[in-house]
Structures are given as C-alpha cells and as structure tokens.
Amino acid sequence: MSTHNQGTELDLSWISKIQVNHPAVLRRAGQIQARRPVKKEWQAAWLLKAVTFIDLTTLSGDDTSCNVQRLCYKAKYPIREDLLKALNMHDKGITTAAVCVYPARVCDAVKALKAVGCDIPVASVATGFPAGQTHLKTRLEEIRLAVEDGATEIDVVISRTLVLTGQWEGSDFIKTSTGKETVNATFPVAIVMLRAIRDFFWKTGNKVGFKPAGGIRSAKDSLAWLSLVKEELGDEWLKPELFRIGASTLLSDIERQIYHHVTGRYAAYHDLPMS
C-alpha cells in the first residue's frame, strides 16, 4: 500500500514546522478509549462494517498453503451464514477487505480465493518485512515477485534511516506499525497520523489511507478505531479504499459478539469452529 503517489509535487517544508501537543493527544486518546460502545442493533451493524475493513492476516514463520487456504475461506465467509440471516444481512456480500500474507504465500492465497469465488485483493508484506533492513535491489525484487504472483496491494516496510534523517516520500496508505513490534497500534500515535492525513488532504486535495495494525484483537477495540477515524477524518474515510485494520484474531471476537447478539448466549468453541 505504501507506494509513492506520483500525482502531486511533494512539498515537505510545512512538516518541519509541525508541533505535537502531547498532553492534548493523550487526553483525546483517553476520551476515545473511555467512551461507552454502541449497543444492540447499532453495535451489530458497526461490527459488520468493521469486518469489511479487516486485512485478514497470517504472517507466521510456519505458514503453509493449508492455513492460507483456511484464511481465504474465512475472508470470503467471515460470519456464519445463519447469523447473517438472523440480521437480514446474508445477501449483502460481506467479506473482509483483503487477505495479507508473506510474498512466498501469495500464489496460495490467489489460488484459494479463486477456488471460493472471492475477488478481494491479496496484500503482501514486502521489502524485508518486518525490519526493512535489506538492500534496495532486494526490496524492489521482492515487490516485483509478489505482484507477479498476483498481489495487488503491497505493505512496504519503510526505511527507518530515511525517516530519522527527514528524507520523506509520499504514500497511498500509512500504517501504524508492522504488528511485529513490542508496541504496535496505539491511539495517541494514530491521532497524530490521522491529523497529518487531514492536513495533507487540506493542503493537496489528496486522500491518504490509514491502517492500524498489531494488537487489535477485540470487537470493542475495532469499534473504537472506527469511531476515531470517523471523528478525525469523516465518513468518506470509512471505506476499504482508505481505511484498513490489520489483524489476525480480531475477526474471531467480532463473530463471537455477533453470535451473542443473535442468540443471547456466548459461543462455545465448537459453535464457531472456523474462528
């Protein structure tokens, strides 16, 4: 996703003048986290919306074609059909936004999605994920191979060296973290990123997408992230083209919460075996 936006001359002079009011950012983050979530039908509707923003992810060293196939099936059928029927949403074509895998597993994902008749994008991490400490030639080749295998979105690991020395470039999306760090997606950092997106849009007219990733595991968390994006950037950012949530276990909790909403009881493990 983090590919250079060729359409606008990148004027970075204003970046050097930016100052962050840290106490104010922390207060704003606290407000978001302390807010009571919506209930009942409204909550179910927002949770289903959250599903459509998920980049359903597996980035494990022991990934195989089998677990990628399972991931893709879940991306196509994220919520049990009887639960969707109970909500009258079974015919809305609800899927996750994409699946996200290592470059070596892109072929498996493309094949699996085709087998279940699903046309959602295959995203791939590349460029020396997660550290990004590989030669530029290697990084570019990794992107080329992933695209050649069928990936249509690339999560590029930026060079921290360039960032720390102020050598910025543009992008289509910005992402909080790789998800492999000790600290990943946090609300204070997200607020700063979202306001930078807003400022950039006001200055250039270009919309940059946002993807929090890492540590987003609960349905309640997903509602807080949707609320934050809605309040900071508006409804026009609440679409998969401009907002994604990178997660591997979040979908399971969303399905459990929807199960509880529909049935009035919490699911046992065997009730949601694909979660």
Side-chain angles (χ1 to χ4, degrees):
M1 293 182 194
S2 298
T3 55
H4 182 59
N5 189 326
Q6 299 288 345
T8 302
E9 184 72 23
L10 198 61
D11 177 14
L12 300 178
S13 60
W14 61 278
I15 291 180
S16 61
K17 303 172 185 175
I18 291 176
Q19 293 183 327
V20 175
N21 185 333
H22 193 231
V25 168
L26 293 179
R27 283 196 301 272
R28 174 74 173 119
Q31 291 170 357
I32 290 291
Q33 292 171 280
R35 185 173 300 159
R36 295 180 64 182
V38 291
K39 296 295 184 182
K40 297 187 178 180
E41 286 80 9
W42 287 106
Q43 184 183 71
W46 276 101
L47 288 176
L48 289 177
K49 192 171 185 66
V51 169
T52 67
F53 297 130
I54 293 175
D55 280 357
L56 194 58
T57 302
T58 182
L59 296 171
S60 299
D62 58 356
D63 281 341
T64 65
S65 59
C66 291
N67 75 296
V68 170
Q69 183 179 10
R70 183 175 181 274
L71 183 88
C72 292
Y73 185 89
K74 192 61 180 174
K76 167 69 171 176
Y77 303 107
I79 306 295
R80 239 173 53 178
E81 187 175 7
D82 61 315
L83 300 177
L84 291 176
K85 283 183 177 178
L87 297 169
N88 197 29
M89 295 293 288
H90 59 287
D91 58 350
K92 304 301 182 185
I94 292 175
T95 67
T96 65
V99 296
C100 185
V101 296
Y102 276 117
R105 301 263 72 97
V106 168
C107 280
D108 295 331
V110 170
K111 182 179 179 181
L113 288 172
K114 184 177 180 181
V116 295
C118 187
D119 61 357
I120 65 173
V122 174
S124 184
V125 295
T127 62
F129 179 91
Q133 294 287 2
T134 53
H135 291 291
L136 178 60
K137 184 177 180 179
T138 304
R139 290 153 62 86
L140 294 173
E141 181 68 3
E142 193 172 28
I143 293 172
R144 187 188 68 79
L145 290 171
V147 171
E148 189 177 274
D149 286 343
T152 54
E153 299 177 354
I154 302 293
D155 279 21
V156 173
V157 181
I158 62 174
S159 167
R160 275 73 149 189
T161 301
L162 294 178
V163 172
L164 293 172
T165 54
Q167 300 177 66
W168 297 97
E169 288 193 357
S171 65
D172 300 308
F173 257 74
I174 55 175
K175 185 174 174 179
T176 56
S177 48
T178 63
K180 297 289 187 180
E181 309 296 333
T182 304
V183 178
N184 290 289
T186 67
F187 288 106
V189 169
I191 289 166
V192 175
M193 294 174 72
L194 290 169
R195 292 184 180 179
I197 288 172
R198 186 174 64 193
D199 287 350
F200 187 74
F201 174 64
W202 286 346
K203 290 177 181 296
T204 69
N206 287 347
K207 295 177 181 177
V208 173
F210 175 68
K211 179 178 176 178
I216 304 174
R217 298 185 178 91
S218 73
K220 181 181 178 182
D221 285 344
S222 71
L223 294 178
W225 282 102
L226 264 66
S227 177
L228 179 63
V229 171
K230 178 181 172 67
E231 291 179 15
E232 293 291 333
L233 295 177
D235 288 335
E236 57 190 316
W237 255 266
L238 282 181
K239 53 187 178 182
E241 293 80 12
L242 290 170
F243 177 52
R244 301 287 181 86
I245 300 173
S248 55
T249 61
L250 170 62
L251 181 56
S252 297
D253 192 56
I254 290 178
E255 189 172 26
R256 279 192 291 269
Q257 295 303 320
I258 290 175
Y259 182 95
H260 180 262
H261 172 75
V262 170
T263 67
R265 60 186 178 86
Y266 286 104
Y269 179 78
H270 63 267
D271 289 319
L272 302 171
M274 281 295 292
S275 291

